[in-house]
Amino acid sequence: MELETLLLSRIQFAANISFHILFPTITIALGWVLLFFKLRYNRTGEERWMEAYRFWVKIFALSFAMGVVSGITMSFQFGTNWPGFMEKVGNIAGPLLAYEIMTAFFLEAVFLGIMLFGFSRVPNWVHTLATFLVAFGTMMSAFWIIVLNSWMHTPQGFEMIDGVAHATDWSAIIFNPSMPYRFTHMVLASFLTVSFLIAGVSAFRWLIGGRTEGVRVAMKSAIVAAALLIPVQILVGDFHGLNTKEYQPAKVAAMEGNWETSTGVPLILFAIPDEEARENRFEIGIPKLASFILTHDWNGEVQGLNDFVSEDGEVLHPRVSPVFWSFRVMVGTGLLMLLVSWSATYTIMRRKRGVEGLPKPMLYALVGMSFSGWLATLAGWYTTEIGRQPWLVQGVMTTKEAVADVPAPMVLTTLIAYLVVYAGLLTAYIFVIFYLARKTSRGEDIGTQIAPSPAAAPKAMPAE
């Protein structure tokens, strides 16, 4: 087996999971947002909440379908490209994936039809319950996938017998040391992704004349949610980083671009890591700040990358440049989210005119940030997964041990096919979202009539 097969297989799996993760990142949170819209409608009887629900439930359905299809394609690769993974840790990975199907996928499949098509066919409380169960199902799906991924980073609760992992403590496997941080971080990332998607698409509808009450309330809710959630995400990210420092110090060293173990380590803002010379070029940093962030002590000791080289010269840390730069893309995008959401919230509150007080440049900024959550999520995912190398399961199995012995040209052919199909699907997905936005802004019906809620009589809508 040649090295090219391993590299191409890694790129192919990265392409598949990068495409797939875009859609669960939306559905995990959008289901709960739809439940919020529905509960507000049930409580107030105001049609604007149902208008918001009608539009965004279609985006949920589209995203759910894309996620299911891309997830099936991705799962095939465990057998075609990575048979060693299931051979060695299948006793743990298999049940966790089965739990996701039993507790999440079936739940979503059963109640999604009621949520999408049962508006006027079932009692209002049944439709609301279906919306809740679909939202709960998407969250449970994320939970089990994050459990497996976290276990691969911080494996616990198992023993190796004849080279195969066997579970000894399922509670330790499920609640492994990194799972709470990773799951919380992912859920918040999903809510931020959806907040900026709703704010951006609503701003687009507003700019082209779709200034309805449903657009207004959706945009304001999303902007305020983003402003509230981004500081929480930064705090959770700090806790996650400290956990990573304890269990995967080589990853943190690569994220920071820190080569030598020392005290009072600076926070490097910009550098070009040189892995051959094992140093940074054109380095710009803030003195001692990395030590303070990672140890909460200005003179704390931070481990460097040179500690992860064996006596015979084998490098036991990930490639530095991809981890270093993907981490900075994630952080930079997060800070931009903070700036935009806080600026928009401040403008809304200060002018006391709701979203009507937002100037055009800010609306255009929101449109431009529509898919910023995708960028931050992918950058964070690359930081996490590339930072685990050369391990597939930390300390248990290397990536090289799991890859299939197949010809490199075969992997390259399927990789190109995947990339072409995914590019077309992603373009179509984004086009459909803005097509629906333009159509509703012109007052055209996009289907789905919802009967008035029996729980509340219509009321006059207060001005915002």
Side-chain angles (χ1 to χ4, degrees):
M1 180 182 65
E2 299 178 350
L3 178 62
E4 288 75 9
T5 299
L6 173 61
L7 179 60
L8 288 170
S9 294
R10 287 183 60 195
I11 294 173
Q12 184 178 106
F13 192 80
N16 275 271
I17 200 167
S18 295
F19 181 75
H20 171 69
I21 198 176
L22 301 178
F23 307 107
T25 301
I26 290 176
T27 56
I28 291 168
L30 187 53
W32 295 102
V33 173
L34 290 171
L35 179 63
F36 170 73
F37 289 160
K38 187 67 192 295
L39 291 175
R40 290 291 292 161
Y41 174 68
N42 291 347
R43 181 176 178 273
T44 66
E46 295 172 358
E47 180 60 24
R48 58 180 179 168
W49 296 106
M50 208 69 257
E51 180 190 340
Y53 186 101
R54 277 195 296 267
F55 178 81
W56 286 101
V57 77
K58 294 187 177 298
I59 308 303
F60 180 90
L62 177 64
S63 304
F64 183 85
M66 295 284 280
V68 169
V69 172
S70 58
I72 293 172
T73 304
M74 188 180 66
S75 66
F76 285 146
Q77 292 196 13
F78 287 120
T80 59
N81 293 62
W82 306 98
F85 176 72
M86 282 299 183
E87 288 175 3
K88 193 162 190 174
V89 299
N91 291 329
I92 294 171
L96 292 177
L97 293 172
Y99 295 156
E100 188 232 351
I101 294 173
M102 290 188 296
T103 64
F105 188 74
F106 286 157
L107 192 66
E108 296 166 330
V110 169
F111 291 97
L112 183 63
I114 299 174
M115 177 180 168
L116 296 176
F117 307 113
F119 299 114
S120 57
R121 296 176 174 85
V122 298
N124 183 66
W125 70 268
V126 174
H127 182 260
T128 302
L129 178 63
T131 302
F132 164 75
L133 290 174
V134 170
F136 180 74
T138 59
M139 187 68 76
M140 288 301 298
S141 179
F143 173 80
W144 290 114
I145 295 301
I146 294 298
V147 164
L148 175 56
N149 181 260
S150 299
W151 181 83
M152 292 165 67
H153 285 268
T154 52
Q156 305 235 330
F158 72 101
E159 63 178 353
M160 300 299 295
I161 302 176
D162 297 329
V164 177
H166 293 265
T168 58
D169 185 349
W170 278 105
S171 63
I173 290 171
I174 294 171
F175 299 102
N176 61 80
S178 66
M179 191 281 290
Y181 305 98
R182 202 177 303 277
F183 178 67
T184 306
H185 199 53
M186 184 64 209
V187 169
L188 287 170
S190 177
F191 273 93
L192 284 168
T193 298
V194 168
S195 294
F196 276 94
L197 177 64
I198 292 176
V201 174
S202 297
F204 173 77
R205 295 173 67 186
W206 191 268
L207 285 167
I208 63 176
R211 303 192 173 191
T212 65
E213 291 295 328
V215 174
R216 177 185 283 107
V217 74
M219 184 170 13
K220 183 178 179 181
S221 299
I223 290 171
V224 173
L228 293 174
L229 289 175
I230 189 67
V232 180
Q233 179 69 309
I234 292 172
L235 179 63
V236 171
D238 179 60
F239 291 147
H240 188 16
L242 295 177
N243 177 266
T244 304
K245 175 178 175 290
E246 180 178 355
Y247 291 96
Q248 295 176 301
K251 181 192 296 185
V252 173
M255 288 161 55
E256 299 296 333
N258 180 40
W259 295 94
E260 298 292 342
T261 299
S262 60
T263 59
V265 175
L267 177 66
I268 299 172
L269 302 177
F270 175 84
I272 299 178
D274 186 335
E275 299 198 41
E276 290 188 5
R278 303 194 67 76
E279 64 181 16
N280 294 327
R281 302 188 184 279
F282 308 107
E283 182 177 297
I284 300 174
I286 302 176
K288 298 189 175 184
L289 187 55
S291 285
F292 181 75
I293 292 173
L294 293 171
T295 68
H296 294 173
D297 180 352
W298 292 103
N299 294 307
E301 183 177 273
V302 178
Q303 203 167 3
L305 289 161
N306 287 332
D307 285 2
F308 302 97
V309 179
S310 66
E311 293 182 358
D312 60 1
E314 182 183 4
V315 175
L316 300 176
H317 62 73
R319 288 186 58 201
V320 180
S321 292
V323 179
F324 180 85
W325 285 113
S326 60
F327 178 68
R328 274 146 189 77
V329 170
M330 179 188 70
V331 173
T333 305
L335 292 176
L336 185 59
M337 287 177 163
L338 179 69
L339 175 63
V340 171
S341 62
W342 279 22
S343 298
T345 301
Y346 174 76
T347 303
I348 289 172
M349 300 303 180
R350 181 174 63 86
R351 298 191 178 185
K352 298 181 180 179
R353 295 172 54 199
V355 298
E356 290 182 347
L358 293 175
K360 274 192 174 183
M362 189 164 289
L363 291 170
Y364 283 117
L366 289 171
V367 175
M369 294 287 288
S370 296
F371 296 98
S372 57
W374 277 359
L375 179 62
T377 298
L378 286 177
W381 194 260
Y382 294 156
T383 301
T384 295
E385 301 309 310
I386 299 175
R388 181 177 55 196
Q389 298 300 317
W391 299 105
L392 185 59
V393 179
Q394 186 76 31
V396 176
M397 181 184 199
T398 65
T399 305
K400 188 175 182 180
E401 292 173 337
V403 71
D405 186 8
V406 297
M410 182 182 296
V411 182
L412 179 61
T413 301
T414 54
L415 170 61
I416 294 172
Y418 277 130
L419 291 176
V420 171
V421 172
Y422 287 162
L425 287 174
L426 188 59
T427 301
Y429 175 84
I430 295 173
F431 172 81
V432 169
I433 289 178
F434 285 98
Y435 169 79
L436 292 175
R438 286 191 296 269
K439 192 172 181 180
T440 55
S441 297
R442 293 195 298 263
E444 298 179 33
D445 181 35
I446 58 174
T448 310
Q449 297 297 321
I450 299 179
S453 168
K459 303 174 183 177
M461 289 177 285
E464 292 188 313

